[in-house]
Amino acid sequence: MITEMVSQRQWERFVQEGVLDESRLHARISESWALCQRAGVNPYLEKAPHVLEPDELTERRRDNLNLLDIALPYVKKLYASIRGSGSLVLLVDPDGYVLALYGDGDIRQFAQTINFVEGVKWTEEEVGTNAIGTALRTGEAIALTGAEHFSIVSHSWTCSAAPIRGEQGKILGVLDISGPAQTAHPHTLGAVVSCAYVIEQEWKMQAQQDRLELLQLACGSLSSPAPLLICDRNDRVIAASAAVRERDVFCTGKSAAAVLNENGYNERARTPLYSASGNRLLGSCLVLAEQTASSAVSFASSSAFCFNGVTGKSKRFQKLLTETRRAAETDATVHIQGESGTGKELIARALHENSSRRDGPFIAVNCGAIAPDLLESELFGYADGAFTGARRNGRKGRLEQANGGTLFLDEIGEIPPAMQVALLRALQEREITPVGADRSVPLDIRIVTATHRNLQQMVRDGKFREDLFYRLYVVPLHVPPLRERREDIPDLIRHFCRESGWCAVFPKDIMERLTMYRWPGNIRELFNVLERMRIAAGGGVPSMEDFMLPEETEIDVPQDSATESAGVKIPTGLTYREELERREIMQALRKTGGNVRLAARLMGIPRSTLYRKVKKFNL
């Protein structure tokens, strides 16, 4: 447990000047502060930026149902023991989302002012150094109070958190007690660690019982002559039919994917297996089939479900691929939600290319890029002479062009109200009438929509028709932002290098910075940064001097420091020492092309100090 307190002055010196007195800071705090600074976390953040919508929180809880079933009784008992103390007890999932929160009314209201609520993401990347996020990253129990937190959003709090581990030490989540900083108690962390340990023991006992129940369920199936696998929740093989064991006598304990790849099988069907009570997923029964040449091609084509062949390793993106595959097998309308730059159109193309409509056209329309008064003719087309300037013989609209295939309406939230009515009618009647025409055109298309906006909120605000929303929001897919699938960044970097013919090995410090950065522009921004690095490095191995993120400032440096011809006023009355310092700064800025961060590194001073001196000397 961390016992020494960090003063407000120590925190201010670090965030303002970059001074990190590691001799006075616990190693975990100084390590986390440095990581947060490199990742661009805002130290002056006043509330958490990312809170799940109610349906997203419900889905999170569903994904962590086993943890909730086992842990919640102990979480409630822990809260009962501290009720009235002005503290909160929280259960957090392994991605940092708060699944459950118990606390007294006053402290809950105080927590709401900073979005410290159920559904919030409380990680180091989101809100800086904090007990929950730091415990998740390090896998260690930790207590933080006041200015030990990186962002001021947590400076009024004391927090004690401990990870909860399952099989093979895997982190299942985090248990936390948080309250006002003035109520910090040295025994709080001990109580949290003890409760987390009890939950772990209960998890292990339940896992053993589930394994026995799963084996009992498997007994009848394993007598089948067909190749079968019985797998636990982690997709580890716990039993196999005789047909599989003849090929692989050591198959138990392996991952299902390894057994399939090593023995020439494909997964033909999967049946989930539930506990006798029906409220817990125990595992699944996999029916296998021999891998043929055609099935091998089909398996290889799964790269269509990723960004240019990069599937990545993150659970969030793998889950998206699974959901996309399932949706592609149907003709249902799909709505894709995701931030700009995450690759929503690639998911839409994957839906089309892996559907029964793959031989038909794929027509993509960016609704936000078309002027509102042109949108009707763009979507519905027009007849000959419909308006001044119309093409002779008219023009097919995008809806008609997509007949027999898929129409992808990107940024669907941007269409005006009048067009929402027209689109709803077209979807209901499955036919359109081009502008100026007296005939209707039947439609046989699949509709896929996408937006970076929250359509549900737009419906609540009266900006999007509710009836159209329910027409489009049949199968929702959420494309996670890059900051929520950081495990995939090395794969994306390798893909970029391969596509651009860049043979480079990235130094550890650059790779760490690329992984920790928040990427507000997502994959599009990542590739732009990599392209700049490739050019700056001349196609060779990149260095920190070649690495610049978009928000890092560059300033224009005059080439003649002895005159004011460049429009720069040189301060008068400088001492000899100050004049030497000014010349040193000018030289460093010229060497780095005006990059303040690199110039500060070259001079061995904090970037904030260099900015202050640049302003002082009017550079």
Side-chain angles (χ1 to χ4, degrees):
M1 175 180 175
I2 298 176
T3 55
E4 61 266 34
M5 297 285 290
V6 174
S7 70
Q8 190 72 17
R9 175 56 184 154
Q10 284 176 287
W11 177 82
E12 289 174 353
R13 289 194 69 198
F14 178 74
V15 300
Q16 294 175 8
E17 304 175 19
V19 177
L20 185 62
D21 189 353
E22 297 187 20
S23 64
R24 297 186 180 183
L25 287 175
H26 189 280
R28 284 301 185 208
I29 295 178
S30 58
E31 171 190 78
S32 179
W33 280 12
L35 289 173
C36 292
Q37 188 181 63
R38 287 199 293 269
V41 179
N42 179 11
Y44 300 103
L45 190 73
E46 295 183 349
K47 62 170 56 179
H50 188 185
V51 181
L52 296 176
E53 293 291 331
D55 58 334
E56 294 174 322
L57 177 57
T58 299
E59 183 180 357
R60 275 270 162 188
R61 287 171 172 161
R62 191 181 300 119
D63 291 343
N64 292 275
L65 193 58
N66 290 335
L67 174 64
L68 288 166
D69 285 344
I70 292 172
L72 277 188
Y74 296 100
V75 174
K76 292 176 181 178
K77 287 180 182 178
L78 181 61
Y79 170 61
S81 70
I82 65 167
R83 189 191 302 272
S85 66
S87 296
L88 302 172
V89 180
L90 304 96
L91 182 66
V92 183
D93 80 357
D95 293 323
Y97 289 96
V98 176
L99 300 175
L101 182 151
Y102 299 91
D104 305 330
D106 291 344
I107 191 65
R108 288 179 72 104
Q109 291 180 3
F110 179 47
Q112 287 176 359
T113 63
I114 60 171
N115 282 344
F116 197 30
V117 294
E118 291 181 341
V120 69
K121 189 173 187 182
W122 207 264
T123 60
E124 288 180 321
E125 295 87 353
E126 293 287 319
V127 296
T129 306
N130 69 90
I132 293 171
T134 306
L136 275 173
R137 179 178 59 82
T138 64
E140 301 172 0
I142 191 170
L144 297 176
T145 299
E148 291 173 335
H149 298 90
F150 181 78
S151 295
I152 61 172
V153 67
S154 302
H155 278 196
S156 300
W157 293 81
T158 177
C159 306
S160 302
I164 302 169
R165 295 185 180 275
E167 301 95 330
Q168 290 83 46
K170 178 183 177 183
I171 293 181
L172 306 172
V174 165
L175 182 66
D176 174 80
I177 292 181
S178 294
Q182 60 268 26
T183 65
H185 194 285
H187 298 317
T188 304
L189 183 59
V192 173
V193 170
S194 297
C195 188
Y197 176 77
V198 173
I199 294 172
E200 289 176 348
Q201 298 311 303
E202 183 71 21
W203 178 277
K204 291 176 183 177
M205 291 174 59
Q206 188 64 63
Q208 186 62 28
Q209 293 175 11
D210 289 349
R211 185 180 179 86
L212 291 173
E213 188 174 354
L214 187 58
L215 285 170
Q216 290 173 354
L217 289 173
C219 287
S221 303
L222 295 178
S223 60
S224 168
L228 301 174
L229 293 178
I230 304 298
C231 301
D232 63 15
R233 288 188 296 264
N234 298 316
D235 236 18
R236 290 280 167 186
V237 177
I238 68 165
S241 64
V244 178
R245 294 198 308 272
E246 286 176 3
R247 294 193 185 186
D248 191 346
V249 68
F250 300 111
C251 61
T252 56
K254 293 181 180 179
S255 68
V259 174
L260 267 61
N261 291 337
E262 293 171 7
N263 297 282
Y265 286 122
N266 275 336
E267 181 182 323
R268 193 176 73 188
R270 177 186 290 256
T271 304
L273 301 174
Y274 291 92
S275 62
S277 60
N279 64 351
R280 272 195 335 280
L281 177 68
L282 301 176
S284 53
C285 176
L286 278 62
V287 181
L288 311 183
E290 295 285 349
Q291 192 178 91
T292 62
S294 60
S295 65
V297 171
S298 174
F299 182 77
S301 69
S302 66
S303 62
F305 290 95
C306 67
F307 295 105
N308 295 326
V310 182
T311 57
K313 304 178 181 66
S314 64
K315 287 184 179 179
R316 297 294 302 277
F317 194 65
Q318 291 298 326
K319 180 182 178 183
L320 171 65
L321 295 186
T322 300
E323 293 172 346
T324 305
R325 288 191 187 97
R326 291 171 180 167
E329 295 170 358
T330 72
D331 211 28
T333 301
V334 175
H335 177 70
I336 304 171
Q337 171 73 32
E339 297 178 6
S340 297
T342 52
K344 296 187 292 294
E345 183 170 344
L346 291 175
I347 295 297
R349 288 187 180 276
L351 285 166
H352 172 74
E353 292 166 2
N354 294 272
S355 71
S356 59
R357 296 178 177 272
R358 66 177 65 88
D359 295 327
F362 176 84
I363 303 297
V365 181
N366 188 331
C367 300
I370 302 172
D373 54 345
L374 299 178
L375 193 57
E376 182 179 11
S377 60
E378 184 73 21
L379 291 179
F380 295 90
Y382 54 83
D384 185 10
F387 50 83
T388 303
R391 290 183 185 177
R392 183 175 297 179
N393 300 323
R395 181 178 183 273
K396 285 185 178 180
R398 297 302 183 93
L399 286 156
E400 187 176 354
Q401 291 174 29
N403 251 338
T406 302
L407 177 67
F408 174 51
L409 297 175
D410 197 7
E411 300 302 344
I412 188 67
E414 306 301 325
I415 63 173
M419 278 305 303
Q420 292 180 28
V421 176
L423 182 58
L424 175 64
R425 183 178 181 84
L427 296 179
Q428 287 175 335
E429 300 181 0
R430 289 288 164 174
E431 65 176 25
I432 58 168
T433 302
V435 177
D438 54 7
R439 61 175 182 85
S440 61
V441 178
L443 293 179
D444 174 25
I445 59 175
R446 181 186 195 171
I447 299 291
V448 178
T449 60
T451 182
H452 70 283
R453 303 178 68 177
N454 188 329
L455 277 190
Q456 292 166 303
Q457 187 60 48
M458 292 182 67
V459 171
R460 289 192 288 268
D461 295 341
K463 297 179 181 178
F464 199 87
R465 291 183 63 94
E466 186 174 18
D467 45 7
L468 178 58
F469 170 80
Y470 287 116
R471 280 280 178 180
L472 302 177
Y473 204 83
V474 179
V475 179
L477 297 177
H478 176 69
V479 185
L482 191 54
R483 61 182 173 274
E484 293 183 10
R485 42 181 296 231
R486 297 176 189 273
E487 313 95 295
D488 298 339
I489 290 177
D491 291 326
L492 289 164
I493 292 172
R494 283 190 288 271
H495 167 75
F496 174 86
C497 292
R498 184 170 61 250
E499 290 294 305
S500 60
W502 185 17
C503 299
V505 177
F506 283 63
K508 182 179 179 180
D509 54 349
I510 292 181
M511 187 63 77
E512 182 183 70
R513 186 86 187 279
L514 287 167
T515 304
M516 286 296 296
Y517 181 58
R518 290 176 55 81
W519 298 114
N522 293 294
I523 297 171
R524 184 183 297 121
E525 183 186 12
L526 170 64
F527 285 176
N528 289 344
V529 168
L530 292 173
E531 180 65 17
R532 287 197 295 271
M533 288 175 61
R534 185 179 70 86
I535 294 171
V541 176
S543 65
M544 285 302 292
E545 283 70 24
D546 305 318
F547 181 37
M548 185 179 69
L549 294 171
E551 81 280 3
E552 292 176 333
T553 307
E554 291 188 358
I555 64 173
D556 293 326
V557 184
Q559 296 303 307
D560 184 3
S561 61
T563 70
E564 297 185 21
S565 60
V568 178
K569 183 178 179 180
I570 300 176
T572 58
L574 295 181
T575 65
Y576 181 68
R577 182 189 296 274
E578 289 173 332
E579 178 61 28
L580 289 178
E581 186 177 30
R582 187 184 71 84
R583 291 180 182 179
E584 183 183 5
I585 292 171
M586 293 286 290
Q587 186 177 16
L589 288 170
R590 287 197 193 96
K591 285 183 179 179
T592 60
N595 188 306
V596 176
R597 180 182 64 83
L598 297 180
R601 178 184 289 269
L602 187 63
M603 295 178 65
I605 61 175
R607 183 168 49 182
S608 57
T609 301
L610 183 55
Y611 272 120
R612 191 169 62 251
K613 292 183 181 295
V614 165
K615 183 177 181 180
K616 173 184 176 181
F617 296 134
N618 288 333
L619 297 178

